[in-house]
Amino acid sequence: MINFGLCRSNFVLCALPLCASFRLGDPGKVCDYRKMATKSSPLCIGIVGFGHLGQYLVERIIKDGAPVGLTLAFVWNRNPEKLKGLVPDELVLSNLSFFADRQCDVIVEVCHPQVVKEFGVHFLSHSHFMVGSPSALADHDLNVKLRQAAQLNGKTLYIPSGALWGGQDIQRLNDSGALQGLFIRMSKHPSCFRLTGDVLSEWKEGEGKRVLFRGSVAELCPLAPNNVNTMAAAAVAAGKLGFHGVQGEIVSDTALSDYHVVEVQATGPDGFSVHTVRRNPARLGAVTGSATYNSFWNSLLVCKGHGGRVYLC
């Protein structure tokens, strides 16, 4: 049992997915709700967002979903024109407010924290919800509302580990009371940052490293909502420290043209410490490193529902 300073939530380890049936050609009833509890039927997934990560998940479900028990319920994107020719018309959801008509098992958000804020509670009233933008949980009120909605409706709020290495180890330290401090540094080429305000308004090639911000993850999330989801996942795992207790730093480094670097420093009693460094291959301008895509896929495979709780996967 972990106390996040917000409400109480059980954390459990990953399992294999439950399923629901799929009927192509009936856009209003793509999934047959009556068969959702049938273990031999596929898990029906709704994808919210069609950026690089959303496209990857849609393509992966279409290509590899059947053998692992996954199928698509719908795909939504803020600009529906982007879906034409890439997503079958019967799977396109033009108005996200009508998501419940598709009666899917799991809704996966991979677009922006604002969608979590506007629809997260509504999603949890019908489906399990995988938050691809956990930086949204830095909002205390929203965090509480999502947890309460999951508990009230018996649904699971899934937090994918993404680029976080050792999330379960951090969680175990937190559970045992041995986690005293957690610091995360994310270093990327300046073209890979999507920041609010003028923190990185100008930069020049060859300038090297520049610390853009250092402080609590609670402060970092609104500054870089699309870049610090790894830190947000860590703040969820380190529940006793929370978003205000976990410290983070973002660094612009023009030398990082081929990968992102994520460093995690966990500390405990009697001088205990663990320092990990993860290099995630990434193209120039890419917000998400390439290894994170497969991490999201692996997280999706375990979203079968674990009751009214939060689940780090």
Side-chain angles (χ1 to χ4, degrees):
M1 186 75 72
I2 299 175
N3 186 352
F4 284 81
L6 300 171
C7 61
R8 298 174 69 84
S9 299
N10 290 330
F11 275 73
V12 291
L13 297 180
C14 299
L16 295 176
L18 260 178
C19 305
S21 74
F22 171 76
R23 297 184 306 179
L24 192 63
D26 185 353
K29 300 287 183 181
V30 178
C31 291
D32 186 351
Y33 184 78
R34 294 169 299 178
K35 297 181 180 180
M36 290 177 72
T38 304
K39 293 183 179 180
S40 60
S41 56
L43 191 74
C44 219
I45 310 295
I47 302 293
V48 178
F50 201 66
H52 293 301
L53 185 52
Q55 292 178 43
Y56 171 83
L57 292 176
V58 169
E59 292 172 2
R60 192 74 188 266
I61 292 171
I62 291 174
K63 179 182 177 182
D64 303 323
V68 294
L70 299 180
T71 191
L72 280 171
F74 70 81
V75 182
W76 175 89
N77 192 58
R78 190 175 300 275
N79 178 10
E81 294 296 319
K82 191 175 180 180
L83 304 177
K84 288 187 175 180
L86 298 175
V87 177
D89 291 343
E90 61 268 22
L91 293 178
V92 174
L93 183 64
S94 58
N95 189 333
L96 191 55
S97 297
F98 299 149
F99 73 91
D101 293 344
R102 301 304 179 97
Q103 299 177 331
C104 58
D105 297 293
V106 182
I107 294 175
V108 181
E109 174 275 320
V110 280
C111 50
H112 194 275
Q114 185 62 29
V115 172
V116 181
K117 181 177 181 179
E118 293 180 8
F119 289 92
V121 171
H122 302 300
F123 289 159
L124 285 166
S125 67
H126 295 272
S127 307
H128 304 300
F129 180 31
M130 179 172 161
V131 182
S133 301
S135 60
L137 300 182
D139 181 324
H140 176 87
D141 292 339
L142 177 61
N143 199 324
V144 170
K145 289 177 181 177
L146 290 173
R147 293 171 184 274
Q148 290 176 340
Q151 186 174 34
L152 177 64
N153 297 291
K155 303 300 183 183
T156 308
L157 179 65
Y158 288 101
I159 310 297
S161 56
L164 177 65
W165 185 262
Q168 279 73 29
D169 295 310
I170 293 171
Q171 181 182 311
R172 282 192 287 268
L173 282 172
N174 178 82
D175 292 352
S176 68
L179 183 65
Q180 295 183 346
L182 187 64
F183 171 75
I184 305 175
R185 177 185 293 114
M186 299 186 69
S187 303
K188 301 181 180 184
H189 188 274
S191 67
C192 298
F193 282 105
R194 302 291 183 269
L195 307 178
T196 60
D198 58 357
V199 177
L200 189 60
S201 57
E202 296 182 3
W203 58 273
K204 296 179 181 179
E205 285 290 359
E207 71 179 19
K209 294 182 180 181
R210 192 201 319 177
V211 176
L212 302 177
F213 188 88
R214 180 174 179 139
S216 72
V217 173
E219 296 172 288
L220 268 171
C221 283
L223 174 67
N226 294 313
N227 288 112
V228 297
N229 287 311
T230 297
M231 295 185 184
V236 172
K240 293 180 181 178
L241 297 174
F243 281 83
H244 288 279
V246 176
Q247 300 296 300
E249 180 180 279
I250 52 175
V251 178
S252 167
D253 188 348
T254 54
L256 298 180
S257 58
D258 299 317
Y259 53 85
H260 302 162
V261 178
V262 180
E263 300 175 69
V264 179
Q265 179 81 37
T267 56
D270 303 320
F272 171 85
S273 69
V274 177
H275 183 205
T276 64
V277 180
R278 184 179 192 264
R279 291 177 173 83
N280 191 355
R283 302 186 307 273
L284 283 175
V287 174
T288 304
S290 59
T292 304
Y293 292 84
N294 194 58
S295 175
F296 265 78
W297 173 253
N298 288 330
S299 293
L300 181 58
L301 292 179
V302 305
C303 295
K304 77 167 188 178
H306 296 84
R309 64 186 68 188
V310 180
Y311 187 111
L312 182 68
C313 58

